[in-house]
Amino acid sequence: MTIMEPRTIPARRGAPPPVIRLRPYQAEVARAVLDSVLNRRGLTFTVEMARQAGKNELSAYLQMVLLLRNAARGGAIVKAAPTFQPQALISIQRILQRLGENGLNSISRLDKGHILHVGRCRATYLSAHPTSNVVGQTADLLLEIDEAQDVSADKFNRDFRPMAAAQNATTVLYGTAWRSDSLLEQVKSTERLTSTQRPYDSAVPIRHFRYDWQDVARHNPPYGSFVEAERQRLGEQHPLFRTQYALLSIDENTRLFNRGQIVQLHGDHPRQEIPRPGAVYVAGLDLAGAPVAISEPEWGASGTVARDETVLTIGEVIAADDGGEPQVRVVQHFHWRGTPHGALTEQLTDLLKNVWRVRRVAVDATGIGEPTAAALHRRMGQTVQPIVFTQQSKSRLGFGLLALVNAGRLRLYADDQSTESTAVRHQLRHAQAKHNANRTMNFYVPEREGHDDYLVSLALLAHASTQEGGVRKAVGRSHSSN
């Protein structure tokens, strides 16, 4: 079948053909996939498109083509996503909308909330979560895996790949980059797929399609403007920008900051003993956990046993002269070790409320930090933002911290050789990032290098600065569907 502009797909006999509109890069994928399906080639394709470039729109149109072509004789499509709600549900809503736009509601029906029938042909939408029960499903036309970088390779190989076996169905895996060991990367490697980067005169069909944000922007200039703003906001080296827009995979474990980012963090402003009149201050507070003894001494404390500390980081929000994003300057650190809960709460309240008069303080309210965070919230109201650390919430803190650093909007006071200055710089140099399979990130300092209390306090400060003082939110965000 030829796809032309305006691109049309054949419907049942006597019905007007529904109109579909695909950009050239989407049409290139559609031709290859439909050729494989219609000619029973049983090929496997991987499709990497930058976030919001239209891969799910492409998927909906492929499904509509095949459902209509096979409405009389029957057939089965299976599409899976990492979660049923919202991801698979969004795909169902999208295909129903496209059918409705083309006046095809009368020949389609949704059964059990996840099986779409068009005549005798059906498309089944499933969750690819590791615990989902999908046994017994078959795909004799097309098997699609959405956000394949977030799907377990074991789950795919055990439960989904066999669905295509009986009729040698075509398989398409969609997604963006993430870790180098993701399902998408594994399939590209094991299948030795021919890429869109191959010479155009090659007789070998393309089986790996890759369109980063610049490829998409050539056909959609407003999209390019949006992503360019994201590059400025997040920084080109931000994990979310690299993977979701530049389509560059990252290692599972790596340093949180490279050498250039460490240099960016170094400021030349002096440490402040007292607040400046009229200045806007925010803070991050990491509350000490239970004492932990380790065999190696901590930084700058030769012969002592490392113990977690409560660390308060104070930052001043500085308006940009050109009206752009404000800068956050770290101006002071405070730390406590072994201070009783009541006394610590009193000191923190006085410093935050009466001395520095912070606009916002983000507080680690995890575990034994919860009582102190709650006490501060009772005394200071909405100025205090308690944050309970989960995989998701800590990931947002890490991505937000990286965004401010990459944009050059976060600076430490000039190194004064103090214990606090030494500690924070040590932790920044040794901070590690672990990129999880579900596109979240954990950040920490390895135990052999001490603790991460100054690092976490700095991340909380960065978060607080996005809530107050005119600094717009700068955390990275990931999208479940497009």
Side-chain angles (χ1 to χ4, degrees):
M1 183 179 66
T2 301
I3 300 178
M4 303 175 64
E5 289 194 44
R7 297 172 175 89
T8 61
I9 57 177
R12 61 194 179 104
R13 182 173 297 176
V19 177
I20 63 174
R21 292 178 177 85
L22 299 178
R23 294 191 172 93
Y25 59 88
Q26 294 170 305
E28 184 176 30
V29 181
R31 291 190 189 96
V33 173
L34 290 173
D35 176 74
S36 177
V37 176
L38 299 178
N39 292 291
R40 292 292 180 181
R41 302 187 194 281
L43 299 178
T44 295
F45 298 91
T46 54
V47 180
E48 283 185 305
M49 286 187 185
R51 186 64 58 198
Q52 298 299 325
K55 61 182 175 58
N56 282 333
E57 195 70 13
L58 164 65
S59 170
Y61 286 136
L62 286 172
Q63 292 167 37
M64 190 159 63
V65 170
L66 297 175
L67 286 167
L68 292 170
R69 286 188 66 99
N70 294 277
R73 61 178 172 267
I77 298 168
V78 170
K79 181 168 184 177
T83 62
F84 184 80
Q85 187 170 358
Q87 289 165 307
L89 188 59
I90 290 173
S91 292
I92 295 171
Q93 294 167 343
R94 192 184 299 267
I95 185 65
L96 288 174
Q97 182 180 357
R98 297 298 171 264
L99 290 168
E101 289 170 351
N102 288 283
L104 298 169
N105 286 335
S106 61
I107 63 169
S108 62
R109 64 182 174 87
L110 187 64
D111 185 25
K112 299 179 181 178
H114 70 106
I115 305 173
L116 175 63
H117 296 269
V118 176
R120 298 177 62 188
C121 193
R122 73 178 186 273
T124 303
Y125 301 85
L126 301 170
S127 167
H129 189 274
T131 62
S132 64
N133 183 4
V134 297
V135 176
Q137 300 290 337
T138 59
D140 57 23
L141 293 172
L142 179 65
L143 170 64
E144 293 185 301
I145 307 296
D146 192 20
E147 303 293 354
Q149 75 282 352
D150 296 338
V151 172
S152 161
D154 289 341
K155 181 72 172 180
F156 171 73
N157 290 322
R158 182 183 67 247
D159 292 349
F160 285 98
R161 187 153 222 155
M163 295 179 186
Q167 298 296 323
N168 191 31
T170 296
T171 300
V172 184
L173 293 89
Y174 303 92
T176 60
W178 185 237
R179 285 184 358 191
S180 56
D181 63 349
S182 71
L183 171 62
L184 205 58
E185 295 294 331
Q186 288 184 35
V187 172
K188 285 160 52 179
S189 174
T190 58
E191 296 283 344
R192 296 181 174 86
L193 303 185
T194 306
S195 170
T196 46
Q197 306 305 310
R198 61 94 172 100
Y200 285 105
D201 60 353
S202 172
V204 179
I206 302 171
R207 293 173 61 194
H208 171 57
F209 295 88
R210 179 185 183 277
Y211 307 102
D212 66 18
W213 74 276
Q214 293 173 311
D215 294 323
V216 177
R218 279 192 279 273
H219 304 284
N220 185 359
Y223 176 87
S225 299
F226 170 82
V227 179
E228 183 61 45
E230 288 293 275
R231 180 165 66 170
Q232 295 299 319
R233 185 178 72 88
L234 296 173
E236 196 164 16
Q237 297 305 311
H238 195 287
L240 293 182
F241 186 87
R242 284 177 56 83
T243 57
Q244 295 187 10
Y245 295 108
L247 301 181
L248 300 172
S249 63
I250 54 180
D251 294 331
E252 178 180 358
N253 293 291
T254 186
R255 288 197 178 274
L256 181 61
F257 302 110
N258 60 36
R259 185 174 299 179
Q261 291 167 321
I262 294 292
V263 170
Q264 279 185 284
L265 276 163
H266 290 172
D268 56 7
H269 61 277
R271 189 171 178 176
Q272 292 179 211
E273 295 300 324
I274 58 174
R276 293 191 306 108
V280 174
Y281 294 99
V282 293
L285 176 61
D286 181 48
L287 293 162
V292 178
I294 63 174
S295 57
E296 298 180 14
E298 64 175 325
W299 48 264
S302 178
T304 65
V305 177
R307 297 180 65 188
D308 200 10
E309 294 189 325
T310 290
V311 174
L312 174 64
T313 305
I314 305 290
E316 180 180 354
V317 179
I318 307 294
D321 293 335
D322 60 1
E325 297 282 6
Q327 188 180 80
V328 183
R329 295 180 183 175
V330 176
V331 296
Q332 185 57 278
H333 277 114
F334 300 93
H335 65 104
W336 296 262
R337 178 180 295 174
T339 305
H341 167 76
L344 178 61
T345 301
E346 292 292 339
Q347 291 180 44
L348 286 169
T349 302
D350 185 49
L351 283 169
L352 293 167
K353 184 177 182 179
N354 302 322
V355 178
W356 292 91
R357 298 180 181 179
V358 299
R359 293 278 188 90
R360 174 76 66 167
V361 54
V363 183
D364 170 17
T366 311
I368 63 174
E370 191 277 332
T372 301
L376 290 171
H377 191 267
R378 286 193 298 270
R379 295 179 180 209
M380 300 176 60
Q382 297 304 310
T383 299
V384 176
Q385 182 181 10
I387 297 178
V388 177
F389 283 177
T390 64
Q391 187 178 83
Q392 295 290 338
S393 66
K394 191 168 183 187
S395 179
R396 286 192 292 270
L397 287 178
F399 286 139
L401 175 60
L402 283 172
L404 257 66
V405 172
N406 290 340
R409 292 169 40 219
L410 182 63
R411 294 281 193 270
L412 297 172
Y413 51 80
D415 188 4
D416 59 3
Q417 303 299 307
S418 64
T419 299
E420 297 83 7
S421 179
T422 302
V424 67
R425 285 168 169 79
H426 174 91
Q427 292 184 17
L428 291 172
R429 286 197 305 272
H430 292 281
Q432 297 286 310
K434 178 177 176 18
H435 299 100
N436 303 312
N438 61 353
R439 283 190 291 177
T440 60
M441 176 185 71
N442 185 28
F443 61 96
Y444 61 96
V445 174
E447 187 175 291
R448 66 181 180 275
E449 299 294 346
H451 291 285
D452 60 4
D453 34 28
Y454 283 83
L455 171 66
V456 172
S457 180
L458 186 64
L460 289 164
L461 167 74
H463 178 78
S465 75
T466 68
Q467 311 299 304
E468 291 292 333
V471 182
R472 293 195 295 271
K473 185 173 287 190
V475 290
R477 57 183 181 272
S478 60
H479 307 272
S480 61
S481 184
N482 62 63

